[in-house]
Structure formats: structure tokens, C-alpha cells
Amino acid sequence: MSAPQTSARSAETATTDRASRPSTIARLMPARVGRPARVLAWLVLISNVVIVGTGGLVRLTGSGMGCETWPYCTPDSLVPTQELGIHGVIEFGNRTLTGVLVVIALLAFLAVVRPPRRDLRALTLANGLGIILQAVVGGVVVWLHLPPTLVGIHFVISAALVANGAALVARAYAPGGPRQLTVSRGFAGLAHATSAAVAVTVLVGILLTGSGPHAGDNLAARNGLDPVLWQHIHSWPAYLTFALTVLLLIGAWRTPDRQRLRLWVGLLLGVEILQIAVGLWQARTGLPIALVNIHMVLAVSLVAAMTAVIMHLKRPVLSQGEAERSTAIS
């Protein structure tokens, strides 16, 4: 081979190596899903639950119009002025927390960009886009002076973000690749029926809230439903969810080698017991703010636990080599 040909081949090889080599920025990202990605997944979940609590405080204290416009707090000030008092501080504090969620969402996405995990990239991207959507809906809610329907949609998006965060945590601890059902079809059907009951319970709870004293600002119109009647209607899917979860726990206990599934079903049942107790307590004590706020946080915690149960119905399909390594380790 002549010298010019050798030189051309070397240049081509060098170009190929540079193209296949990750950029300087990419090399700073984790090459695998490890502790940083898992910690950030938990932060995604926790932060989306926390902002439900702060958002609930905004609604329950009548601070929804504490900042009269959006994204500014007043037409002339980004931050609350002294004249707005505590309501402005509460509303602006909730808005500020959205910025924290955006930072966590970005870091979570960057932590899974480099590993070959399309599922984690999709979940973190959905979380970031959901937070942006939530901020826009929040702005519209303020502009329209807190109509209960939009306030309810605002909560539904929060619940969806919490479910997404729970799925992200579950997937961050599992290998990537195809997954297969590892429980009976009957158990899986029962789990999905329970999930549907949870969704109905949450949605009816949103309608109930829109009819009562804590639908939003004191001047905001309610949805016109009878709050006493809808308290009873709200309890029906709640008790159905509880009964289905008891059956799920029995089924999980009879399913061999599924300790983690049993743990999540047990957690789901525990959240439901707390939620029912708090719901009965608040209904019998005139809906005190603290109990209603706890009830809201427990509602999205219920969604998170239910999502975790669904995520553990399947396991990754291991290749022969992976299965042999797993057997050797165990």
C-alpha cells in the first residue's frame, strides 16, 4: 500500500473514531443508570408530591388570587408586594417551587441521556413537559379567576406527574429491555380494576372539592353540585378500591417469589386506610384546612402506590447470559 493510501486510511479511521467518541459534554453524563439517576428519580416523585401540598395550601387559604396575574405577581412586580400580605407570599411560594421542579426534571433527564434506556428518557422528558404544561394551566387558572373545572384539571395533571414519577422510580431500579408478565392474568386484571377504581375515586374527589368551601378563592364560583350528596358518592369508589386492594394483597401473598410486589400492595393498602380515616375525620369536623391538605397529599400518594403496583406486574426478559449471571449471584 502506498504512502498516500495509508495516510488516507489513517485519516478516515481517525474521523470515524472522533464521530463514535462521545462529545466532551456527553462524557460528563453518567454512562449507566446508577445512584445519581435513582436519587433524581426519587426527587422527581417527591417534589411532585410536595407541590401538591403547597398548591393545596394556596387553595385552602384562599390565596389563589394572592398574585393577581401570571407570570408576574402584580402587573408591576414579579414578586409579591407588601400590600398582598400572606396570600401573596403563599401563592408566589408555590410558583417558585415550580422552578425547583424544572431544575430537578432537567437533571433527571441529563442523568439518563447517555445510557441505552429509552424508557427512562421518555419518562423524564414527559415529566419536564408535564411541568411546563402545569405552569401554563396554572397561569390560565389565575387569569380566569380560579374556575373549579380548571382547578380540577390542574390537580389531574399533578396526579399524572406523580404517577409518572412513581413509574420512573420503578424503572430506574430495573434493567432495560422487553418485559413480560410474571403474575397470573387474573391478578393483573384485578390490579388494573383497582387502578381504575383509584382513578374514579380521585376524579369524584375533585368534583366534590369543586362544590365545597375549599374549591379556591372565596369569590370563585363553585360547580353547583350538592357537597353532602357528593361526599357519599365519593365514598363508594373509595370503599370499592379498599375491597379490591384487600383481594390484591391476598393474591400477592399467594404469588410465589414476589416479595417486592407484596410490599407495594401492602403500602397501597396502608395509604388507603390513612386516606379513609382522614376523609371521615375531616367530614365530621367541618373540613379543617390541615386535614383537607393531608387528604390531598394522600390522594396523589395513593396514585403513586397504585402505579408502583402496576409497574411490578412485569419483569424484564433476561437473556440467557443475564439469567446465568443472576443464578450465579443468587
Side-chain angles (χ1 to χ4, degrees), residues 59 146 148-149 209-225:
R59 179 195 295 182
L146 312 180
T149 301
T209 302
S211 69
H214 300 309
D217 188 77
N218 291 333
L219 300 179
R222 277 29 180 181
N223 58 22
L225 299 176

Side-chain angles (χ1 to χ4, degrees), residues 141-328:
V141 168
V142 172
W143 289 337
L144 297 180
H145 295 270
L146 312 180
T149 301
L150 279 181
V151 173
I153 292 173
H154 201 48
F155 188 86
V156 169
I157 297 173
S158 290
L161 286 169
V162 169
N164 178 276
L168 178 62
V169 170
R171 285 297 183 91
Y173 283 91
R179 299 165 64 81
Q180 64 182 4
L181 194 67
T182 56
V183 296
S184 68
R185 292 190 179 275
F187 185 90
L190 179 61
H192 287 295
T194 308
S195 180
V198 167
V200 172
T201 303
V202 172
L203 291 174
V204 174
I206 291 171
L207 292 174
L208 171 60
T209 302
S211 69
H214 300 309
D217 188 77
N218 291 333
L219 300 179
R222 277 29 180 181
N223 58 22
L225 299 176
D226 182 349
V228 176
L229 172 63
W230 278 82
Q231 279 185 12
H232 295 290
I233 294 175
H234 179 44
S235 69
W236 301 339
Y239 289 131
L240 175 62
T241 299
F242 179 77
L244 292 174
T245 305
V246 170
L247 294 177
L248 266 183
L249 186 61
I250 295 171
W253 206 261
R254 297 177 62 181
T255 302
D257 192 31
R258 296 309 306 271
Q259 289 83 356
R260 187 167 294 181
L261 178 62
R262 296 170 192 166
L263 172 66
W264 286 113
V265 175
L267 178 63
L268 174 64
L269 185 63
V271 173
E272 289 171 10
I273 292 171
L274 276 175
Q275 183 73 312
I276 290 171
V278 171
L280 292 173
W281 189 6
Q282 70 174 12
R284 284 161 173 72
T285 54
L287 303 176
I289 287 176
L291 289 180
V292 174
N293 206 20
I294 292 171
H295 199 61
M296 291 177 63
V297 173
L298 284 173
V300 292
S301 300
L302 177 66
V303 170
M306 187 72 249
T307 303
V309 171
I310 297 297
M311 295 300 295
H312 284 84
L313 298 178
K314 294 182 178 181
R315 283 179 175 173
V317 179
L318 300 179
S319 65
Q320 183 177 355
E322 290 171 330
E324 290 174 353
R325 285 195 297 271
S326 175
T327 303

